[in-house]
């Protein structure tokens, strides 16, 4: 099956980046889009995020071979219901949501009998909205596809080929396993960043201006993550509750062990952990997942 028309629902960071990537890579694919927010639709048209911005959800998906829902995970069911009247019988319905089991259930409930293949491009930034998207967001990044049992192999191949054409590396995974892996690699780190920044802003003996003034000591790297979209992340934690709570239990135990090591002056325990974590950073860089320049390549003027 060949994908020649793609409809993008939700024209923020992810939706806009998909539309721009299709255009920049000159793929022979026509794009349409819709967002529930009229001001987002207007800005999307100005930036040319998709070929045609439609005023109604069902018009955006008419004749689309592939529909990609790029809305917060808690809004997937509503978005799916909005497009239902216009869907072509052969259309593949996919998404970019950061949690997968809950999205798969919401889509199956909203669109019974449709060809649903959830996916999650592991690529993003802390920015959101129609000005945030850029064409190279997916280049060299993983896109995890979580096909349900009994999926049409031709549809799965077409979706994989689409993400490969955007520059992504594709991996297939079971939805529950995806949710566990992403709980460790993305959801818990975000929760820790939100918590640390929140704790610092609640301090009474250290002023907020001091926290900001001396933030280069490490704090500012947490503030980037903690600036991520509140709606998106609220929904991620509510929809990936089980895996997040399981991983948070493990993390809390490890944190308690660190507390104990510091209190008892167990320098070996601290040194061993910090040596192991340094090796992880080396692997992240070796696998091309980050910039190897010190301090994330920030400019340090003389
Ligand atoms: P975003 O920039 O905020 O864009 C989402 C857009 O969807 C907003 O314009 C929003 O409008 C619109 N929307 C909300 N509910 C809708 C509905 N029912 N129907 C139509 N449009 C609706 O968010 P994003 O960062 O692109 O995230 C989109 C999805 O990608 C999320 O599921 C997220 O988990 C996933 N994701 C994000 C990242 C990341 O780093 N940001 C990475 C990978 C995957 P309103 O402003 O009116 O709500």
């Amino acid at each position: 099956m060949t994908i020649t028309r793609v409809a993008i629902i939700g024209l923020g960071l992810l939706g806009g980046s998909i539309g721009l990537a299709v255009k920049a890579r000159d793929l022979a694919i026509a794009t349409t889009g819709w967002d529930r927010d009229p001001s987002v639709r207007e800005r999307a048209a100005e930036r040319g995020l998709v070929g045609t911005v439609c005023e109604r959800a069902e018009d955006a998906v008419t004749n689309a071979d592939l529909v990609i829902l790029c809305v917060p995970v808690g809004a997937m069911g509503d978005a799916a219901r909005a497009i239902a009247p216009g869907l072509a019988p052969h259309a593949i319905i996919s998404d970019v949501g950061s949690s997968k089991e809950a999205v798969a259930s919401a889509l199956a409930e909203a669109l019974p009998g449709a060809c649903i293949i959830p996916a999650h491009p592991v690529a993003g930034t802390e920015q959101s909205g129609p000005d945030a998207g850029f064409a190279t967001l997916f280049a060299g990044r993983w896109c995890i596809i979580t096909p349900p049992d009994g999926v049409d192999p031709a549809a799965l191949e077409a979706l994989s080929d689409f993400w490969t054409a955007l520059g992504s590396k594709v991996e297939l995974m079971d939805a529950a396993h995806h949710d566990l892996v992403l709980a460790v690699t993305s959801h818990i780190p975000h929760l820790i960043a939100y918590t640390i920044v929140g704790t610092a802003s609640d301090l009474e003996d250290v002023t907020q201006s001091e926290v900001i003034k001396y933030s280069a000591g490490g704090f500012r790297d947490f503030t980037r993550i903690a600036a991520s979209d509140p709606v998106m992340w609220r929904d991620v934690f509510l929809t990936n509750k089980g895996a997040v709570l399981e991983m948070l239990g493990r993390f809390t135990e490890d944190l308690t062990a660190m507390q104990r090591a510091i209190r008892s002056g167990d320098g070996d325990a601290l040194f061993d952990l910090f040596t192991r974590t340094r090796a992880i950073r080396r692997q992240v860089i070796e696998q091309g997942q980050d910039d190897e320049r010190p301090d994330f390549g920030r400019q340090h003027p003389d």
Side-chain angles (χ1 to χ4, degrees), residues 125-128 190 193-194 197 220-230 233:
T125 75
E126 69 282 13
Q127 310 281 333
S128 53
H190 275 79
Y194 281 124
V197 175
R220 70 179 177 189
D221 292 338
F222 286 105
T223 63
R224 185 190 70 76
I225 298 181
S228 301
D229 192 75
W233 283 97

Side-chain angles (χ1 to χ4, degrees), residues 9-15 34-37 40 70-73 75-76 78-79 96-99 120-130 229 232 236:
I9 305 300
L11 295 169
L13 170 67
L14 269 286
W34 177 75
D35 192 289
R36 68 172 181 183
D37 182 339
V40 172
C70 302
V71 302
V73 285
M76 291 290 178
D78 284 348
V96 293
S98 306
S99 57
H120 176 206
V122 187
T125 75
E126 69 282 13
Q127 310 281 333
S128 53
D229 192 75
M232 170 188 158
V236 168

Side-chain angles (χ1 to χ4, degrees), residues 49-104:
L49 298 183
V50 288
T52 311
V53 177
C54 299
E55 285 302 305
R56 298 185 327 156
E58 60 259 47
D59 295 339
V61 300
T62 307
N63 296 325
D65 308 307
L66 169 64
V67 179
I68 309 181
L69 302 175
C70 302
V71 302
V73 285
M76 291 290 178
D78 284 348
R81 277 183 285 277
I83 58 167
L87 281 178
H90 74 284
I92 302 168
I93 317 301
S94 190
D95 74 302
V96 293
S98 306
S99 57
K100 295 273 54 93
E101 270 202 300
V103 169

